[in-house]
PDB file of all heavy atoms in Angstrom:
ATOM      1  N   ILE W1131      66.701 -13.840  15.952  1.00  0.00           N
ATOM      2  CA  ILE W1131      66.519 -13.083  14.707  1.00  0.00           C
ATOM      3  C   ILE W1131      67.779 -12.267  14.457  1.00  0.00           C
ATOM      4  O   ILE W1131      68.261 -11.586  15.360  1.00  0.00           O
ATOM      5  CB  ILE W1131      65.308 -12.120  14.818  1.00  0.00           C
ATOM      6  CG1 ILE W1131      64.023 -12.889  15.106  1.00  0.00           C
ATOM      7  CG2 ILE W1131      65.168 -11.278  13.551  1.00  0.00           C
ATOM      8  CD1 ILE W1131      62.830 -12.013  15.453  1.00  0.00           C
ATOM      9  N   ASN W1132      68.327 -12.335  13.251  1.00  0.00           N
ATOM     10  CA  ASN W1132      69.427 -11.439  12.880  1.00  0.00           C
ATOM     11  C   ASN W1132      68.843 -10.286  12.066  1.00  0.00           C
ATOM     12  O   ASN W1132      68.039 -10.516  11.157  1.00  0.00           O
ATOM     13  CB  ASN W1132      70.479 -12.174  12.045  1.00  0.00           C
ATOM     14  CG  ASN W1132      71.228 -13.202  12.878  1.00  0.00           C
ATOM     15  OD1 ASN W1132      71.172 -13.161  14.114  1.00  0.00           O
ATOM     16  ND2 ASN W1132      71.914 -14.115  12.223  1.00  0.00           N
ATOM     17  N   LEU W1133      69.266  -9.081  12.408  1.00  0.00           N
ATOM     18  CA  LEU W1133      68.740  -7.888  11.737  1.00  0.00           C
ATOM     19  C   LEU W1133      69.834  -7.236  10.911  1.00  0.00           C
ATOM     20  O   LEU W1133      70.939  -7.018  11.398  1.00  0.00           O
ATOM     21  CB  LEU W1133      68.228  -6.906  12.805  1.00  0.00           C
ATOM     22  CG  LEU W1133      67.693  -5.563  12.314  1.00  0.00           C
ATOM     23  CD1 LEU W1133      66.447  -5.748  11.452  1.00  0.00           C
ATOM     24  CD2 LEU W1133      67.369  -4.661  13.504  1.00  0.00           C
ATOM     25  N   GLU W1134      69.521  -6.951   9.645  1.00  0.00           N
ATOM     26  CA  GLU W1134      70.456  -6.219   8.787  1.00  0.00           C
ATOM     27  C   GLU W1134      69.711  -5.080   8.123  1.00  0.00           C
ATOM     28  O   GLU W1134      68.533  -5.197   7.830  1.00  0.00           O
ATOM     29  CB  GLU W1134      71.025  -7.141   7.696  1.00  0.00           C
ATOM     30  CG  GLU W1134      72.229  -7.936   8.139  1.00  0.00           C
ATOM     31  CD  GLU W1134      72.823  -8.755   7.006  1.00  0.00           C
ATOM     32  OE1 GLU W1134      72.842  -8.268   5.858  1.00  0.00           O
ATOM     33  OE2 GLU W1134      73.226  -9.902   7.289  1.00  0.00           O
ATOM     34  N   LYS W1135      70.428  -4.008   7.882  1.00  0.00           N
ATOM     35  CA  LYS W1135      69.822  -2.852   7.215  1.00  0.00           C
ATOM     36  C   LYS W1135      70.400  -2.752   5.813  1.00  0.00           C
ATOM     37  O   LYS W1135      71.614  -2.690   5.645  1.00  0.00           O
ATOM     38  CB  LYS W1135      70.150  -1.600   8.036  1.00  0.00           C
ATOM     39  CG  LYS W1135      69.325  -0.395   7.711  1.00  0.00           C
ATOM     40  CD  LYS W1135      68.055  -0.341   8.536  1.00  0.00           C
ATOM     41  CE  LYS W1135      67.101   0.685   7.968  1.00  0.00           C
ATOM     42  NZ  LYS W1135      67.289   2.024   8.450  1.00  0.00           N
ATOM     43  N   CYS W1139      65.748  -0.398   4.241  1.00  0.00           N
ATOM     44  CA  CYS W1139      64.950  -1.565   4.568  1.00  0.00           C
ATOM     45  C   CYS W1139      65.575  -2.374   5.711  1.00  0.00           C
ATOM     46  O   CYS W1139      66.786  -2.555   5.746  1.00  0.00           O
ATOM     47  CB  CYS W1139      64.890  -2.426   3.308  1.00  0.00           C
ATOM     48  SG  CYS W1139      63.387  -3.300   3.155  1.00  0.00           S
ATOM     49  N   SER W1140      64.748  -2.846   6.628  1.00  0.00           N
ATOM     50  CA  SER W1140      65.232  -3.733   7.692  1.00  0.00           C
ATOM     51  C   SER W1140      64.971  -5.171   7.274  1.00  0.00           C
ATOM     52  O   SER W1140      63.824  -5.539   6.986  1.00  0.00           O
ATOM     53  CB  SER W1140      64.485  -3.456   9.001  1.00  0.00           C
ATOM     54  OG  SER W1140      64.721  -2.141   9.418  1.00  0.00           O
ATOM     55  N   ILE W1141      66.034  -5.970   7.223  1.00  0.00           N
ATOM     56  CA  ILE W1141      65.878  -7.376   6.844  1.00  0.00           C
ATOM     57  C   ILE W1141      65.958  -8.223   8.111  1.00  0.00           C
ATOM     58  O   ILE W1141      66.950  -8.180   8.835  1.00  0.00           O
ATOM     59  CB  ILE W1141      66.995  -7.860   5.890  1.00  0.00           C
ATOM     60  CG1 ILE W1141      67.383  -6.774   4.896  1.00  0.00           C
ATOM     61  CG2 ILE W1141      66.587  -9.162   5.217  1.00  0.00           C
ATOM     62  CD1 ILE W1141      66.415  -6.530   3.817  1.00  0.00           C
ATOM     63  N   LEU W1142      64.929  -8.986   8.361  1.00  0.00           N
ATOM     64  CA  LEU W1142      64.908  -9.889   9.518  1.00  0.00           C
ATOM     65  C   LEU W1142      65.199 -11.304   9.040  1.00  0.00           C
ATOM     66  O   LEU W1142      64.410 -11.884   8.290  1.00  0.00           O
ATOM     67  CB  LEU W1142      63.519  -9.872  10.189  1.00  0.00           C
ATOM     68  CG  LEU W1142      63.228  -8.805  11.227  1.00  0.00           C
ATOM     69  CD1 LEU W1142      63.322  -7.419  10.609  1.00  0.00           C
ATOM     70  CD2 LEU W1142      61.841  -9.023  11.799  1.00  0.00           C
ATOM     71  N   PHE W1143      66.319 -11.843   9.465  1.00  0.00           N
ATOM     72  CA  PHE W1143      66.650 -13.232   9.140  1.00  0.00           C
ATOM     73  C   PHE W1143      66.199 -14.098  10.320  1.00  0.00           C
ATOM     74  O   PHE W1143      66.802 -14.060  11.386  1.00  0.00           O
ATOM     75  CB  PHE W1143      68.161 -13.395   8.911  1.00  0.00           C
ATOM     76  CG  PHE W1143      68.677 -12.651   7.720  1.00  0.00           C
ATOM     77  CD1 PHE W1143      69.033 -11.314   7.806  1.00  0.00           C
ATOM     78  CD2 PHE W1143      68.814 -13.297   6.494  1.00  0.00           C
ATOM     79  CE1 PHE W1143      69.513 -10.623   6.696  1.00  0.00           C
ATOM     80  CE2 PHE W1143      69.302 -12.618   5.383  1.00  0.00           C
ATOM     81  CZ  PHE W1143      69.643 -11.273   5.485  1.00  0.00           C
ATOM     82  N   TYR W1160      58.803  -8.004  18.319  1.00  0.00           N
ATOM     83  CA  TYR W1160      60.042  -7.557  17.676  1.00  0.00           C
ATOM     84  C   TYR W1160      59.721  -6.642  16.488  1.00  0.00           C
ATOM     85  O   TYR W1160      60.291  -5.563  16.333  1.00  0.00           O
ATOM     86  CB  TYR W1160      60.836  -8.783  17.203  1.00  0.00           C
ATOM     87  CG  TYR W1160      62.229  -8.486  16.713  1.00  0.00           C
ATOM     88  CD1 TYR W1160      63.328  -8.650  17.544  1.00  0.00           C
ATOM     89  CD2 TYR W1160      62.449  -8.063  15.403  1.00  0.00           C
ATOM     90  CE1 TYR W1160      64.617  -8.385  17.091  1.00  0.00           C
ATOM     91  CE2 TYR W1160      63.728  -7.795  14.949  1.00  0.00           C
ATOM     92  CZ  TYR W1160      64.803  -7.954  15.793  1.00  0.00           C
ATOM     93  OH  TYR W1160      66.068  -7.687  15.331  1.00  0.00           O
ATOM     94  N   LEU W1164      60.268  -2.497  15.982  1.00  0.00           N
ATOM     95  CA  LEU W1164      60.954  -1.893  14.832  1.00  0.00           C
ATOM     96  C   LEU W1164      60.113  -0.770  14.221  1.00  0.00           C
ATOM     97  O   LEU W1164      60.611   0.321  13.928  1.00  0.00           O
ATOM     98  CB  LEU W1164      61.187  -2.947  13.740  1.00  0.00           C
ATOM     99  CG  LEU W1164      62.467  -3.770  13.733  1.00  0.00           C
ATOM    100  CD1 LEU W1164      62.455  -4.696  12.510  1.00  0.00           C
ATOM    101  CD2 LEU W1164      63.698  -2.877  13.693  1.00  0.00           C
ATOM    102  N   GLN W1167      59.989   2.343  16.084  1.00  0.00           N
ATOM    103  CA  GLN W1167      61.236   3.107  15.947  1.00  0.00           C
ATOM    104  C   GLN W1167      61.354   3.773  14.576  1.00  0.00           C
ATOM    105  O   GLN W1167      62.385   4.374  14.263  1.00  0.00           O
ATOM    106  CB  GLN W1167      62.437   2.187  16.160  1.00  0.00           C
ATOM    107  CG  GLN W1167      62.593   1.722  17.598  1.00  0.00           C
ATOM    108  CD  GLN W1167      63.785   0.805  17.754  1.00  0.00           C
ATOM    109  OE1 GLN W1167      64.033  -0.037  16.894  1.00  0.00           O
ATOM    110  NE2 GLN W1167      64.518   0.961  18.835  1.00  0.00           N
ATOM    111  N   GLU W1169      61.159   2.129  11.640  1.00  0.00           N
ATOM    112  CA  GLU W1169      61.621   1.191  10.598  1.00  0.00           C
ATOM    113  C   GLU W1169      60.387   0.523   9.986  1.00  0.00           C
ATOM    114  O   GLU W1169      59.981  -0.563  10.401  1.00  0.00           O
ATOM    115  CB  GLU W1169      62.542   0.129  11.212  1.00  0.00           C
ATOM    116  CG  GLU W1169      63.749   0.679  11.927  1.00  0.00           C
ATOM    117  CD  GLU W1169      64.783   1.254  10.973  1.00  0.00           C
ATOM    118  OE1 GLU W1169      64.764   0.881   9.788  1.00  0.00           O
ATOM    119  OE2 GLU W1169      65.588   2.093  11.402  1.00  0.00           O
ATOM    120  N   ILE W1172      60.070  -3.425   5.929  1.00  0.00           N
ATOM    121  CA  ILE W1172      60.617  -4.635   6.542  1.00  0.00           C
ATOM    122  C   ILE W1172      60.524  -5.801   5.558  1.00  0.00           C
ATOM    123  O   ILE W1172      59.518  -5.972   4.861  1.00  0.00           O
ATOM    124  CB  ILE W1172      59.818  -4.967   7.825  1.00  0.00           C
ATOM    125  CG1 ILE W1172      60.019  -3.852   8.868  1.00  0.00           C
ATOM    126  CG2 ILE W1172      60.244  -6.319   8.418  1.00  0.00           C
ATOM    127  CD1 ILE W1172      59.075  -3.926  10.047  1.00  0.00           C
ATOM    128  N   VAL W1173      61.617  -6.569   5.506  1.00  0.00           N
ATOM    129  CA  VAL W1173      61.601  -7.826   4.752  1.00  0.00           C
ATOM    130  C   VAL W1173      61.904  -8.946   5.739  1.00  0.00           C
ATOM    131  O   VAL W1173      62.862  -8.861   6.506  1.00  0.00           O
ATOM    132  CB  VAL W1173      62.654  -7.823   3.622  1.00  0.00           C
ATOM    133  CG1 VAL W1173      62.694  -9.189   2.939  1.00  0.00           C
ATOM    134  CG2 VAL W1173      62.349  -6.732   2.601  1.00  0.00           C
TER     135      VAL W1173
END
Side-chain angles (χ1 to χ4, degrees):
Chain W
I1131 301 171
N1132 291 344
L1133 177 64
E1134 275 184 37
K1135 195 89 193 273
C1139 212
S1140 298
I1141 322 286
L1142 274 62
F1143 295 85
Y1160 189 98
L1164 270 182
Q1167 290 179 320
E1169 303 288 339
I1172 295 168
V1173 175

